[in-house]
Every structure is written in C-alpha cells, then in structure tokens.
Amino acid sequence: MTRNTRNTRIARIRRTVAGIATVAIGLFAAPATAQQAASIVVASTTSTEQSGLFGHILPQFKQATGIDVKVVALGTGQALDVGRRGDADVVFVHDAAAEQKFVDEGHGIEHRKVMYNDFVLIGPKDDPAATKGKDITGALQKLAAANASFVSRGDKSGTHAAELRYWKAAAVDNKGAGYKECGCGMGPALNMAASSGAYVLADRGTWLSFKNRADLAVLVEGDKRLFNQYGVMVVNPERHPHVKQAEARKFVEWVVSPAGQEAIAAYKIEGEQLFFPNAGQ
C-alpha cells in the first residue's frame, strides 16, 4: 500500500467517525432542545393583551417554568370558540356565564378565578347626553333618548356581552340612531370613539393603557354591576388529545399561585393598578 493510498483511507475513516459523532450528539441533544422549546397557546381577550398585562407577566412565567406562551387575542366569545376547536391549550377570558357553559359542555377543565377589574363608560368630556355618575343603566337610557353616538364592539367579546346585559337591565330596546357596532377589539373601538366623539363601554385596563384619548374621559364608574371578573381554564384533553395538558396546567397553577398573583397586582400604568388578583376568593 502506497503512502498516498494509506493517507486517503485514514482521512475517510476520520470523516466517518466525525459523522457518527455528530449524529450521536444530535440524538442526545434532541430531548434538551425539545424541553427548551416547550410552548403553549393561550386564547385570551384583547383586554389582557392590549392593556400590556401579558407583556408584564409572561416573561416571569417563562423564567419560572421555561415554557413559552403564544397569545391569541380575540373577543371572549371567539377565544372560547378557539378552545372548542382545540386550537389552544388554555383559555383566559372574562364572561362568567359563557365560561361556565364552556365547562358544562365538557370543553374546559381546571376552571379558576384569576383577577378582576371593572368596566367604565367613556365619552366626550363635555358629556352632551349628561350620563356622568355611577348608574350605568340610567346612563344608557339617556344615550338612547338622545340618539347619542355610541360605539359597540359588536364582536361577542366579554365586554360586548356585558354591554348587552346593561342595555337589557336598562329596558332599552331601541338604542338610538347613534348606536353603531364595529365588530372590532377594544383598542379599535376606543380609537373610533376618540375620532368621532362617541361614547363607548370599555374595560378599565385597556382604557388606562390607551394613548389616543383625544377628548374622551371616564364618565360612569363605581356601579357594582360594572364588576369584571376574569377566569382561566385548561382546554379539555379528553376532547382534544393533542392539548399540552402538563404545560397548560402549569400556566393555570402559576397565574393563581402567590407568584402569579403578585405579578398581576404589580402591573401598573402611571401608578394605577389595572387588575386585582382574587384567585383565593
């Protein structure tokens, strides 16, 4: 065997050994990579996303658990539909009646209270319909009588469901010529109200984070009927076996734990707290 032939064979052997080592390293590293890439999908309301709450608490959840969270922000009704289809692992919304129906129909498990804030009626500072005060039903009656411009989300969200309850409680069938449904999220609805000088029902969290206020102000607040409870649940893995049950449970357990509740309470805008944890109540 010549020296050149021997060197060529040695080089081939070295390349083969290197290739085997690379494959072995990849096989051993795969579980660690998969663990690092653990993630879940949370279908939630636009208020938790647009208020900035998730931007505040999710990095803390990731640090505590190593789990990434992808948020699909929709109206509550749409978020629950995402859960019904099995396109999310967790649902985090704010419509107690719709949430209970979701659970009763077998779509959700581990249903827990998380936090609350309140709804507020927003409108022009000069309040042409004279709604200002603490009575939401009285305010809506005045809006209807005055044919005042009112932007409704009209999107089957938790806020839209609450708005419809208030109209019903006010015994108002004809909401007036100024009533318009946008079929949009809370941020766009507020933008429409700001640009047109209209009234709008909003959750306080999104309002506090909203920057394009123009001439708008809070006109009705403090009515106990404006209480806004948020709940969280795991999408039922018996309905959808691909649901990441272990990771989803960790998310629910964390947001109702002392660490998660403290993170929620700590989120403030200009010193004002947006959400109030009440998992233990």
Side-chain angles (χ1 to χ4, degrees):
M1 181 184 296
T2 66
R3 178 176 296 178
N4 288 340
T5 301
R6 185 171 62 252
N7 289 342
T8 300
R9 294 180 67 181
I10 291 172
R12 287 176 180 172
I13 291 170
R14 285 175 176 171
R15 286 197 297 269
T16 301
V17 171
I20 293 171
T22 300
V23 171
I25 290 170
L27 290 173
F28 282 111
T33 302
Q35 186 175 14
Q36 291 170 1
S39 64
I40 58 172
V41 174
V42 174
S44 189
T45 72
T46 58
S47 60
T48 49
E49 177 75 359
Q50 292 175 357
S51 67
L53 176 70
F54 278 149
H56 173 75
I57 69 171
L58 291 185
Q60 297 178 59
F61 172 70
K62 171 69 179 294
Q63 185 176 15
T65 65
I67 299 171
D68 282 313
V69 177
K70 177 183 177 182
V71 176
V72 179
L74 302 161
T76 284
Q78 293 172 302
L80 289 169
D81 285 341
V82 169
R84 286 187 180 92
R85 295 194 300 268
D87 292 333
D89 304 293
V90 173
V91 178
F92 192 150
V93 290
H94 64 138
D95 185 341
E99 292 167 42
Q100 191 58 52
K101 181 180 179 183
F102 186 84
V103 172
D104 291 344
E105 291 174 345
H107 299 293
I109 59 174
E110 309 276 338
H111 187 203
R112 301 289 297 276
K113 289 182 178 180
V114 181
M115 63 191 188
Y116 69 91
N117 63 4
D118 62 343
F119 294 111
V120 288
L121 182 68
I122 307 296
K125 290 178 181 177
D126 61 357
D127 191 18
T131 63
K132 190 171 180 63
K134 294 185 177 181
D135 182 2
I136 186 61
T137 57
L140 294 180
Q141 289 167 351
K142 292 177 180 178
L143 290 175
N147 288 314
S149 181
F150 184 96
V151 177
S152 169
R153 285 182 56 174
D155 63 348
K156 298 182 180 179
S157 62
T159 304
H160 183 219
E163 178 214 316
L164 295 180
R165 287 196 303 271
Y166 303 146
W167 284 112
K168 184 177 180 179
V172 173
D173 295 322
N174 183 355
K175 302 178 182 68
Y179 185 87
K180 298 292 186 295
E181 291 186 343
C182 69
C184 61
M186 195 70 259
L190 283 165
N191 275 318
M192 288 180 64
S195 64
S196 62
Y199 293 83
V200 61
L201 184 76
D203 69 280
R204 190 182 293 272
T206 306
W207 167 250
L208 288 174
S209 63
F210 182 63
K211 304 302 182 185
N212 184 34
R213 295 183 179 183
D215 194 42
L216 297 182
V218 174
L219 298 175
V220 178
E221 60 183 328
D223 189 326
K224 65 181 181 181
R225 291 170 292 192
L226 293 170
F227 179 80
N228 181 28
Q229 177 70 53
Y230 287 78
V232 67
M233 67 199 91
V234 175
V235 174
N236 192 347
E238 292 186 3
R239 289 285 185 95
H240 304 286
H242 61 275
V243 165
K244 298 176 182 177
Q245 182 178 3
E247 292 85 354
R249 285 177 183 268
K250 285 183 179 179
F251 179 82
V252 171
E253 290 167 0
W254 185 82
V255 294
V256 301
S257 73
Q261 296 278 280
E262 288 172 10
I264 291 168
Y267 182 55
K268 298 179 180 180
I269 293 179
E270 296 181 358
E272 188 163 356
Q273 186 172 335
L274 276 69
F275 300 93
F276 299 84
N278 66 342
Q281 299 176 18

